[in-house]
Amino acid sequence: LRSKMKIFLSELKKKISNQLNPEKILLIDNSSLHVKHKSFDPNKFHIKLIIKSKKLKDLGAIKAHKLIYSILKEEMKNNIHALEIEIV
C-alpha cells in the first residue's frame, strides 16, 4: 500500500508541476490521521499540498484553489477524499 501511495503522490506531483511549474511542491499523505473517522475510506486519500508558486500567489487563494482542483478533477473524484492546500 505504501508503494501504491508513493506512485500516486509522484503522479500528482508530476501533473501539478506540468500544469503550474511551481518553484517547489510537497505532497503529504495525512490519511493515517483520519482512520477513525466514520466516513474513512481506505481507497481515498487525505492529502496536504504545500506549493510554492508566485503564479498561484498572484492569483489569490480562491482562484488558485479552483485551478488546483480543476487540475486534479479526476483524482478528486476517484482517489482523494480531502485536499488541504497551502500556498507559500
Side-chain angles (χ1 to χ4, degrees):
L1 190 72
R2 297 283 328 138
S3 62
K4 187 177 152 189
M5 175 48 105
K6 269 193 176 138
I7 292 166
F8 179 67
L9 289 179
S10 77
E11 286 170 358
L12 280 187
K13 199 177 224 178
K14 205 183 303 171
K15 192 170 188 177
I16 295 166
S17 294
N18 288 345
Q19 299 265 341
L20 298 175
N21 196 20
E23 290 81 26
K24 199 172 180 185
I25 186 170
L26 179 64
L27 288 162
I28 302 161
D29 172 23
N30 280 335
S31 301
S32 62
L33 304 175
H34 301 272
V35 174
K36 293 199 169 35
H37 292 184
K38 244 187 280 183
S39 64
F40 183 76
D41 177 349
N43 300 309
K44 291 200 171 201
F45 307 113
H46 289 250
I47 308 282
K48 178 168 186 172
L49 165 66
I50 302 171
I51 188 165
K52 181 177 183 176
S53 166
K54 181 165 177 4
K55 179 180 173 180
L56 290 177
K57 262 256 198 278
D58 291 346
L59 270 181
I62 292 171
K63 283 185 179 162
H65 284 224
K66 281 183 177 175
L67 180 58
I68 292 167
Y69 279 111
S70 73
I71 292 167
L72 301 178
K73 191 169 58 192
E74 280 307 303
E75 292 80 359
M76 292 301 300
K77 213 178 349 186
N78 302 311
N79 312 97
I80 299 174
H81 174 74
L83 179 64
E84 181 184 347
I85 301 169
E86 189 179 321
I87 301 166
V88 292

